[in-house]
Amino acid sequence: GENVEQHPSTLSVQEGDSAVIKCTYSDSASNYFPWYKQELGKGPQLIIDIRSNVGEKKDQRIAVTLNKTAKHFSLHITETQPEDSAVYFCAAEFSGSARQLTFGSGTQLTVLP
Amino acid sequence: ETGVTQTPRHLVMGMTNKKSLKCEQHLGHNAMYWYKQSAKKPLELMFVYNFKEQTENNSVPSRFSPECPNSSHLFLHLHTLQPEDSALYLCASSQQSGQGANEQFFGPGTRLTVL
């Protein structure tokens, strides 16, 4: 099955700085890579996703890059704000019959004011 | 609000109790999922239902029993649980199509504590 490694497990940045979270995956057939944000007391919410036919996607302060050859993808958050503080999960589609997602272990991002 | 609701939000039960978790999605999706989220661990997929049919059971112990009476409702029946089953149980839904995986919408979860 798919294996997704996520680093770092915790990340603290000053408000206004950038944050980068990295993930690697094992199944070379995976072609869908979403990123989820989970705030305290809530379920994960999709913030951005990328498919294997593109190398980069951007949505305002959030961007994701994908390197299929190296099997890694990254989340970039620029101009961080305190409300960006949350746990972020990467995921990769498992190319099984039900097209499941395999999640990374999460990164606790803290934006210091 | 994501369009996926879960009840109850919190549940405390003894090891001999029987309880059920409920999930309802108002998005018209055709696939529903149960995940277990434990501290410091990745989300663990438990069950997948497509068009009310169970398509995946990721080696989940039989003390967890899912039920999907229709494409909008999903239940997780619990009996004789162990303390290590204490976790946040998340329900999600998505619109599965032949073009690949699509966004999964998560509910807020049920925080389960087994005494």
Side-chain angles (χ1 to χ4, degrees), chain B residues 1-43:
Chain B
E1 289 295 331
T2 62
V4 181
T5 58
Q6 289 186 244
T7 55
R9 294 294 309 275
H10 301 272
L11 178 62
V12 179
M13 60 187 290
M15 290 191 286
T16 58
N17 291 159
K18 291 184 179 181
K19 296 286 184 183
S20 295
L21 309 185
K22 179 183 176 182
C23 175
E24 183 174 358
Q25 59 98 357
H26 311 273
L27 302 168
H29 289 164
N30 56 19
M32 297 187 76
Y33 312 78
W34 279 117
Y35 288 89
K36 177 183 179 182
Q37 186 176 33
S38 304
K40 310 292 186 184
K41 293 177 70 175
L43 274 73

Side-chain angles (χ1 to χ4, degrees), chain A:
Chain A
E2 177 70 278
N3 184 46
V4 177
E5 299 284 339
Q6 182 172 347
H7 300 280
S9 56
T10 60
L11 178 61
S12 293
V13 299
Q14 289 294 135
E15 183 177 357
D17 287 351
S18 296
V20 180
I21 303 170
K22 299 183 179 181
C23 288
T24 59
Y25 61 97
S26 59
D27 184 357
S28 58
S30 295
N31 56 20
Y32 175 65
F33 308 91
W35 284 90
Y36 284 83
K37 175 183 181 183
Q38 186 173 23
E39 297 175 320
L40 201 61
K42 297 183 179 181
Q45 182 176 3
L46 181 78
I47 55 172
I48 195 167
D49 57 11
I50 191 168
R51 296 186 188 271
S52 59
N53 55 349
V54 297
E56 183 175 359
K57 184 176 178 181
K58 191 173 182 180
D59 182 4
Q60 299 182 12
R61 298 186 296 108
I62 295 173
V64 57
T65 59
L66 171 65
N67 183 327
K68 282 221 73 178
T69 303
K71 291 190 285 188
H72 66 71
F73 56 113
S74 301
L75 177 71
H76 304 254
I77 305 174
T78 58
E79 301 172 25
T80 53
Q81 301 168 4
E83 53 264 37
D84 294 329
S85 296
V87 180
Y88 291 81
F89 293 95
C90 63
E93 177 199 44
F94 170 53
S95 55
S97 59
R99 295 191 177 273
Q100 303 164 24
L101 294 177
T102 299
F103 285 82
S105 54
T107 296
Q108 173 68 61
L109 173 65
T110 303
V111 179
L112 305 169

